[in-house]
Amino acid sequence: MSETITAKQKFKELRQKYKEYADGAYYFTYEALDYTSKNLVRRAEHATANELLEGCRLYSIEQFGCLAKTILNNMGIRKTEDIGDIVFHLIEFELMGKQEKDKREEFDSVYDFNVAFDLRPIISYNSDRKEWKVQYVQKTRKNSINN
């Protein structure tokens, strides 16, 4: 009789093997994949590396606002390569799926966290609804040659 391994057991084994990222980094990446599937991918296929990375960026901004980069860094996620490592750890332990064409290298240097998470809030008030709204936009980068 074969024993079925639960997702919880798989995750425990993953964490015993890979200790460089906080537990939250794995949960965040898994949730970001769900966010990406619901909000960015408009087809039946699974998300590409670029789509997942953009989903991670947008989801983290939605969840954490201007603190997104700080919180990701605190979990050990400092560059797109880290997200790729996490995704492929999850795949290795069958907690995420992949297609034959998917490669870990597709996550390398896709965007710079210092630019992608250089945000400023725009705060507005809707007096009809009596509610505040915060939107985060990327700060304008000046060309260092012109300074």
Side-chain angles (χ1 to χ4, degrees):
M1 203 186 296
S2 74
E3 186 177 323
T4 304
I5 299 174
T6 66
K8 186 176 181 179
Q9 291 168 314
K10 289 178 183 181
F11 186 75
K12 184 178 178 183
E13 290 176 15
L14 181 154
R15 293 300 295 133
Q16 288 172 345
K17 182 173 181 180
Y18 298 108
K19 297 175 175 35
E20 60 264 42
Y21 303 105
D23 287 356
Y26 291 96
Y27 294 122
F28 168 81
T29 303
Y30 203 80
E31 289 173 0
L33 174 62
D34 186 55
Y35 174 91
T36 302
S37 297
K38 290 177 181 173
N39 296 288
L40 299 179
V41 180
R42 303 280 186 230
R43 60 193 185 287
E45 299 173 24
H46 79 275
T48 65
N50 281 349
E51 289 168 335
L52 180 54
L53 288 167
E54 181 62 5
C56 284
R57 188 183 74 78
L58 294 173
Y59 182 66
S60 65
I61 292 168
E62 183 178 294
Q63 294 298 305
F64 311 125
C66 289
L67 292 174
K69 180 180 172 238
T70 300
I71 292 170
L72 291 175
N73 286 178
N74 196 41
M75 290 189 281
I77 303 173
R78 292 176 176 77
K79 54 190 187 257
T80 59
E81 288 87 338
D82 293 324
I83 297 170
D85 287 343
I86 291 167
V87 165
F88 275 81
H89 294 168
L90 291 165
I91 290 168
E92 178 184 339
F93 284 86
E94 299 176 351
L95 294 165
M96 255 187 198
K98 85 175 201 78
Q99 292 184 345
E100 188 68 32
K101 65 182 178 181
D102 294 335
K103 304 288 182 240
R104 164 57 196 80
E105 297 76 30
E106 294 176 311
F107 290 87
D108 291 352
S109 301
V110 174
Y111 54 76
D112 179 339
F113 271 42
N114 290 324
V115 175
F117 295 106
D118 189 16
L119 306 169
R120 69 180 177 88
I122 296 176
I123 302 169
S124 60
Y125 182 74
N126 183 326
S127 58
D128 294 334
R129 291 185 172 178
K130 297 183 182 195
E131 67 183 9
W132 290 94
K133 179 181 177 185
V134 179
Q135 179 181 1
Y136 299 95
V137 296
Q138 207 163 0
K139 290 180 181 176
T140 307
R141 290 281 209 192
K142 291 183 180 177
N143 187 335
S144 60
I145 296 173
N146 294 331
N147 290 339

